[in-house]
Amino acid sequence: GSLASDLLAFSVLAPADTLIIVGDSVLTIPVAAPVPANPTVRVETLTPPGPVEAQNVIFDITQPIAGTTPVVQLANGDQSDTVGTTAEGLATVALSLVTGQVPPDTAIVEVRANRLRGAVVPGSGQRFIILFE
């Protein structure tokens, strides 16, 4: 009864309940005039229903396996990238061919997310297939 303190403000974040691929999971990039593919996912919560902001989503290139010189890369120049979701719950990464390398027929990008305590968000493990034509 005799202790007092200033008010403390804190935010309660909505739990990430599902990871949803936005649009098509098969994307095509022309080899003659390559443009980046932009795989996009949305993270949503069920209570209350809606998007989850500031959730980290991990995009991994699982195929082709990077050798000493990768042939495809994400926007950060690596084979893996962690992207935070927007206020709309969206996370997007750009995948592009590495200049001067022979393009593969396909590339596969796997997407996943974890909850704050480490549990895997349902929908993790989904894949984008990028076709090079």
Side-chain angles (χ1 to χ4, degrees), residues 108-126:
I108 297 176
V109 177
E110 187 175 281
V111 62
R112 70 180 190 281
N114 296 315
R115 293 188 175 132
L116 290 175
R117 295 191 179 171
V120 175
V121 174
S124 291
Q126 295 184 75

Side-chain angles (χ1 to χ4, degrees), residues 2-133:
S2 62
L3 294 176
S5 72
D6 294 333
L7 290 176
L8 298 173
F10 63 93
S11 298
V12 177
L13 300 175
D17 289 323
T18 190
L19 193 64
I20 302 165
I21 287 181
V22 175
D24 201 348
S25 63
V26 178
L27 308 169
T28 303
I29 296 179
V31 174
V35 294
N38 296 303
T40 302
V41 295
R42 185 174 63 243
V43 180
E44 291 191 359
T45 183
L46 302 176
T47 51
V52 176
E53 184 177 4
Q55 170 71 45
N56 284 336
V57 177
I58 303 161
F59 293 86
D60 286 317
I61 297 173
T62 59
Q63 185 181 336
I65 296 172
T68 54
T69 305
V71 294
V72 293
Q73 63 188 4
L74 298 174
N76 65 354
D78 290 330
Q79 300 295 295
S80 182
D81 197 2
T82 301
V83 179
T85 56
T86 64
E88 294 80 26
L90 300 174
T92 301
V93 70
L95 177 132
S96 59
L97 294 168
V98 175
T99 305
Q101 298 298 317
V102 176
D105 292 333
T106 60
I108 297 176
V109 177
E110 187 175 281
V111 62
R112 70 180 190 281
N114 296 315
R115 293 188 175 132
L116 290 175
R117 295 191 179 171
V120 175
V121 174
S124 291
Q126 295 184 75
R127 296 178 177 163
F128 290 93
I129 300 171
I130 294 87
L131 305 172
F132 298 95
E133 295 183 344

